[in-house]
Amino acid sequence: MFLYHRYDHDLNISPQRVLKEGLNHRTATRWYSRGAKFFPELTEQFRPINSPKWIDFKVAFGADLEPFEKPYFRFPVFSEKILVFNFEISSDLFAHLEDLYDGGKGHFIDGVPSKEELIKEYWKSMMPLSDYLKHRPFENTEVYIFEQVPGELIEFME
């Protein structure tokens, strides 16, 4: 099985650099909407006590389970430090961000649970990629990789 990371031409990170250095949060070439990073203080506040120490969203970067239009990077699943979260929860968290930018008028969050409840649900949705692939409990995924993908595993698909 492969994972995919979209390539963004607008960033000053060349495909050659990624292939040489590997893929990590510094060489990631695409911004992925990530719920854990929207309200980092709440993410840490509601972090499950028994969660592994290696879960550090400051060094995590995103991937996709399916390729999009080219160009993109492709690499095999290489680690157990790949987690899947429910993207629908991130969408609701993003509504809270939009509400902040809108001056807190509530237009975007009418009927949406509180940030705190959403963060708790976000953590509950977390599972290793291998478990997600067996059960697929939700359709829209948010995939985080918590360690560097070695350059020799990466292919650049143009």
Side-chain angles (χ1 to χ4, degrees):
M1 170 174 189
F2 289 99
L3 293 175
Y4 305 88
H5 182 82
R6 291 182 253 178
Y7 178 70
D8 188 338
H9 292 286
D10 295 334
L11 297 177
N12 291 326
I13 300 170
S14 71
Q16 294 77 18
R17 178 179 172 197
V18 173
L19 295 171
K20 181 181 178 186
E21 296 178 23
L23 192 56
N24 59 46
H25 72 284
R26 288 186 203 98
T27 59
T29 63
R30 174 79 176 167
W31 184 82
Y32 283 76
S33 173
R34 300 290 173 217
K37 294 182 179 181
F38 293 153
F39 301 99
E41 67 289 341
L42 290 176
T43 300
E44 281 305 309
Q45 179 182 344
F46 293 108
R47 179 187 183 110
I49 293 170
N50 59 350
S51 61
K53 299 287 183 223
W54 53 260
I55 299 176
D56 181 354
F57 292 104
K58 292 179 195 121
V59 299
F61 61 97
D64 296 298
L65 298 177
E66 301 290 331
F68 286 87
E69 59 187 60
K70 292 180 180 179
Y72 57 81
F73 296 103
R74 178 177 87 166
F75 49 92
V77 173
F78 69 102
S79 169
E80 292 297 315
K81 294 181 180 179
I82 302 171
L83 298 176
V84 180
F85 295 80
N86 186 338
F87 179 74
E88 297 300 323
I89 299 169
S90 289
S91 293
D92 286 345
L93 283 165
F94 189 73
H96 281 279
L97 272 184
E98 288 181 309
D99 187 60
L100 288 174
Y101 294 124
D102 189 40
K105 297 175 184 161
H107 300 279
F108 296 101
I109 58 171
D110 187 32
V112 175
S114 71
K115 294 180 288 195
E116 294 80 5
E117 286 304 312
L118 289 169
I119 293 289
K120 290 175 188 176
E121 290 302 313
Y122 188 78
W123 278 113
K124 286 179 190 174
S125 78
M126 175 182 73
M127 65 182 62
L129 176 61
S130 57
D131 288 352
Y132 176 81
L133 293 172
K134 289 176 195 169
H135 308 291
R136 296 190 184 259
F138 44 85
E139 186 175 324
N140 294 322
T141 60
E142 191 170 272
V143 179
Y144 274 115
I145 300 174
F146 291 89
E147 69 178 303
Q148 180 165 309
V149 180
E152 61 269 10
L153 296 181
I154 302 169
E155 293 178 81
F156 183 60
M157 312 301 284
E158 295 185 77

